[in-house]
């Protein structure tokens, strides 16, 4: 299994191909590849991403079958089932990179900001559980200079939520806390731009060298 740093560079290269339109060939998704994977998998990265239909991790990183272990949930939140899924892949497959992948104009973030500005009883209990997990990371922003600037507020709220999810994985799991220093597990936060297709890795990224 490749290191976290190597996996991160592979994702960066794949995203550059996606943005430029120079997608790789179908060798990673053809019948031969399917047959190779029938006996097992060795994903090189774990992606905890948003369920938004415009952000399919395998496509934006130009990867094929068996390359990524993808967990998707609205707002890329971290609840016990998501933590357990990350732990499973990190321990079972030896995957050494976890990416929390949020995106611009996230609907779950917008819904949370709307709820903070104008509380509603219309949400189902299940939808409210998502909003409640996002709320702490964005609520403090309302009292800053961002409050009167909706566009800037949304941009910063998206990143605050990504950071909160990444920190939860780093510090809310005994399994991952052990793997980070012992086996070099990397947990990083990234934002996908719906407008440009570029993924910006901005949180927890190791320095070059």
């Amino acid at each position: 299994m490749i290191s976290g740093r190597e996996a991160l560079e592979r994702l960066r290269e794949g995203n550059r191909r996606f943005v430029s339109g120079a997608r790789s060939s179908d060798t990673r998704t053809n019948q031969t590849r399917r047959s190779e994977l029938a006996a097992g998998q060795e994903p090189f990265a774990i992606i905890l991403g948003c369920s938004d239909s415009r952000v399919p991790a395998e496509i934006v990183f130009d990867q094929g079958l068996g390359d990524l272990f993808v967990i998707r949930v609205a707002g890329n939140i971290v609840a016990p089932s998501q933590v357990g899924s990350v732990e499973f892949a990190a321990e079972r497959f030896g995957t050494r990179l976890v990416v929390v992948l949020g995106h611009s104009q996230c609907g779950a973030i917008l819904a949370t900001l709307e709820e903070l500005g104008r509380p509603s009883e219309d949400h189902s209990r299940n939808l409210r559980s998502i909003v409640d997990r996002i709320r702490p990371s964005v609520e403090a922003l309302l009292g800053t200079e961002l409050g009167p600037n909706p566009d800037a507020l949304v941009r910063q709220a998206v990143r605050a939520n990504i950071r909160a999810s990444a920190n939860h994985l780093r510090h809310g799991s005994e399994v991952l806390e052990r793997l980070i220093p012992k086996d070099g597990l990397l947990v990083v936060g990234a934002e996908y731009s719906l407008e440009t297709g570029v993924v910006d890795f901005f949180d927890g990224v190791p320095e070059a060298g």
Side-chain angles (χ1 to χ4, degrees), residues 38-192:
Q41 59 175 312
E42 291 184 343
F44 72 84
I46 302 163
I47 311 293
L48 172 57
C50 183
S51 298
D52 193 294
S53 63
R54 298 165 292 180
V55 196
E58 291 89 347
I59 294 177
V60 304
F61 289 121
D62 191 28
Q63 302 300 320
L65 294 173
D67 291 330
L68 304 178
F69 189 93
V70 180
I71 306 147
R72 298 183 69 177
V73 59
N76 45 270
I77 61 169
V78 175
S81 59
Q82 282 85 53
V83 177
S85 296
V86 172
E87 290 175 344
F88 172 79
E91 285 201 305
R92 178 67 63 92
F93 308 125
T95 310
R96 290 296 168 257
L97 175 66
V98 182
V99 178
V100 175
L101 180 64
H103 64 92
S104 60
Q105 300 299 323
C106 178
I109 298 294
L110 294 171
T112 301
L113 290 170
E114 289 171 2
E115 175 68 16
L116 289 171
R118 189 176 59 256
S120 170
E121 298 299 324
D122 295 337
H123 297 315
S124 72
R125 180 181 62 186
N126 299 312
L127 179 55
R128 186 170 295 280
S129 71
I130 294 174
V131 170
D132 287 345
R133 286 192 177 274
I134 296 173
R135 182 194 304 265
S137 62
V138 303
E139 196 164 22
L141 297 175
L142 293 174
T144 70
E145 70 278 4
L146 296 171
N149 188 333
D151 291 339
L153 178 61
V154 171
R155 286 195 298 271
Q156 292 303 313
V158 165
R159 294 213 163 198
N161 182 55
I162 293 168
R163 288 190 185 95
S165 291
N167 279 328
H168 189 149
L169 292 176
R170 294 184 193 112
H171 306 294
S173 160
E174 292 182 1
V175 171
L176 301 182
E177 284 184 19
R178 183 183 74 248
L179 292 175
I180 288 171
K182 179 176 180 290
D183 293 328
L185 178 73
L186 288 180
V187 180
V188 304
E191 181 184 0
Y192 172 77

